[in-house]
Amino acid sequence: MPKSLPDTIAFLLSVAMATFASVLLILLFGFIWQNEVAAKQRALTFKNIGTPFNISLSLIAASFIGLYVCFAIAIQQAYDILDAALVSLFIQLCLGTIQFCYVFHSWQRSKFIIKRSAPLLHPIFGILIVASPVLFYAPVLTQLIMWFCTSCHQNQAAVDGLQFVTPGIAGVSCAVFDSLFLWCFTRYIHSKNLDEGAQLNEEHPEFLTISFYGQITCITCYVAIAVYIVGVSVPVLAPVRNLMIVIANSFLMAGFLSLCGLKRALFLLGEEQGRRNSATLKRSIERAGRALSASSGSSASNSSR
């Protein structure tokens, strides 16, 4: 176990969060199997389950598992399991994957509304999404530079800049992307007047659901960034830096949990809408049947006369 109390807490929290992420990944796979394969009597193929949302959520969960396992190794300094440079590299690789998949998921859920509400911004956002991996995986490049450039380690300021500044920039960029998408999405909803808004809520209740969960994930992202920046930039907090970094990423985990909640909420909305459509169709058939019976009875009466 680590020697200091904060590092011990950070280690235990990392182990707990890795376990939690594993459980979430299993539950996600179970949800996809039950509701998108078995319930619809589909074959278990990548074509049937490999949607952008399923892929991004699965990669985020798997990356969180890898991230917290690497955190635990780094805090424990169990470098007989994995080299220290590789641990740092894997941490940044997992973080970059989480951030990119999160932004990609946000883009997928918002792009059609953005095309309506901000048609000029839509192609610009599309280009930025394609180019965004360069930004999110830049910390991986800095870790490679530190790995091969031994002279960098002689300058502590350069080391801190490479280790902490570039991940911070990537995290802020992730939050900015999500904020812009959410702004365009909510702008579309609030651009309607009250009557149109009520009609919109009836026809597309999923819009408000997406907006609600989007606000939660956006807030958790900003809180994670704030905790991270405070943890790595305030000198007096140096003894608890590892704990602050783990806590910051735990807020990112809360954002991922919100994305999973959004998937379940949209599924339930779809089920409810399906039941309503079935009930409406049934009533329409019954009314048509009664009208046909009444018409037949009237025709028979006129014939007898």
Side-chain angles (χ1 to χ4, degrees):
M1 294 291 289
K3 294 180 180 180
S4 68
L5 178 60
D7 281 354
T8 300
I9 297 173
F11 172 77
L12 294 175
L13 183 58
S14 297
V15 173
M17 296 304 290
T19 305
F20 182 58
S22 302
V23 172
L24 283 180
L25 183 60
I26 293 171
L27 291 176
L28 177 62
F29 285 160
F31 183 88
I32 293 171
W33 164 259
Q34 180 179 358
N35 299 299
E36 299 181 19
V37 177
K40 296 182 180 180
Q41 297 181 343
R42 293 177 173 177
L44 184 60
T45 62
F46 182 80
K47 182 179 179 180
N48 290 332
I49 64 173
T51 66
F53 298 106
N54 288 343
I55 294 172
S56 59
L57 289 176
S58 300
L59 284 176
I60 291 173
S63 296
F64 267 120
I65 296 171
L67 177 68
Y68 283 110
V69 168
C70 288
F71 276 156
I73 293 174
I75 296 169
Q76 182 73 3
Q77 295 185 347
Y79 296 130
D80 54 332
I81 300 175
L82 201 62
D83 183 75
L86 277 176
V87 170
S88 297
L89 184 65
F90 284 146
I91 286 174
Q92 299 306 333
L93 184 63
C94 290
L95 272 175
T97 303
I98 291 168
Q99 291 165 346
F100 172 69
C101 289
Y102 174 75
V103 168
F104 179 75
H105 186 283
S106 180
W107 168 247
Q108 287 295 320
R109 79 180 180 227
S110 308
K111 64 180 181 180
F112 297 109
I113 297 301
I114 292 174
K115 193 171 185 178
R116 295 182 188 178
S117 63
L120 295 178
L121 293 177
H122 183 269
I124 298 175
F125 284 156
I127 294 172
L128 290 176
I129 289 298
V130 173
S132 64
V134 176
L135 181 63
F136 295 129
Y137 289 104
V140 178
L141 179 61
T142 62
Q143 289 297 327
L144 287 173
I145 292 173
M146 289 181 60
W147 196 353
F148 292 107
C149 181
T150 55
S151 60
C152 294
H153 295 275
Q154 299 174 4
N155 188 337
Q156 189 59 41
V159 172
D160 289 342
L162 289 172
Q163 281 190 321
F164 302 121
V165 174
T166 49
I169 293 173
V172 171
S173 302
C174 177
V176 169
F177 268 115
D178 190 44
S179 298
L180 288 173
F181 298 157
L182 184 62
W183 173 76
C184 291
F185 196 93
T186 54
R187 179 173 175 264
Y188 173 78
I189 296 176
H190 293 300
S191 65
K192 308 295 183 181
N193 59 36
L194 291 177
D195 292 335
E196 290 176 334
Q199 184 179 0
L200 183 69
N201 295 344
E202 280 188 27
E203 295 179 355
H204 301 284
E206 68 275 11
F207 286 175
L208 289 180
T209 302
I210 293 173
S211 178
F212 172 74
Y213 281 94
Q215 292 174 43
I216 293 176
T217 53
C218 196
I219 290 171
T220 58
C221 194
Y222 276 110
V223 172
I225 293 169
V227 174
Y228 178 84
I229 292 175
V230 170
V232 302
S233 63
V234 179
V236 73
L237 294 177
V240 296
R241 175 176 290 175
N242 288 332
L243 179 59
M244 295 288 285
I245 291 175
V246 173
I247 291 174
N249 285 280
S250 297
F251 279 105
L252 286 182
M253 173 70 82
F256 169 64
L257 193 61
S258 176
L259 293 182
C260 292
L262 171 61
K263 182 176 179 64
R264 182 177 182 276
L266 291 177
F267 170 77
L268 294 177
L269 277 176
E271 290 286 295
E272 183 180 354
Q273 190 67 34
R275 287 193 294 269
R276 287 180 180 178
N277 291 341
S278 297
T280 302
L281 180 61
K282 184 178 179 180
R283 287 194 297 269
S284 298
I285 293 174
E286 289 175 350
R287 284 196 296 267
R290 288 194 296 268
L292 183 61
S293 299
S295 176
S296 300
S298 176
S299 298
S301 177
N302 290 336
S303 297
S304 63
R305 291 176 184 177

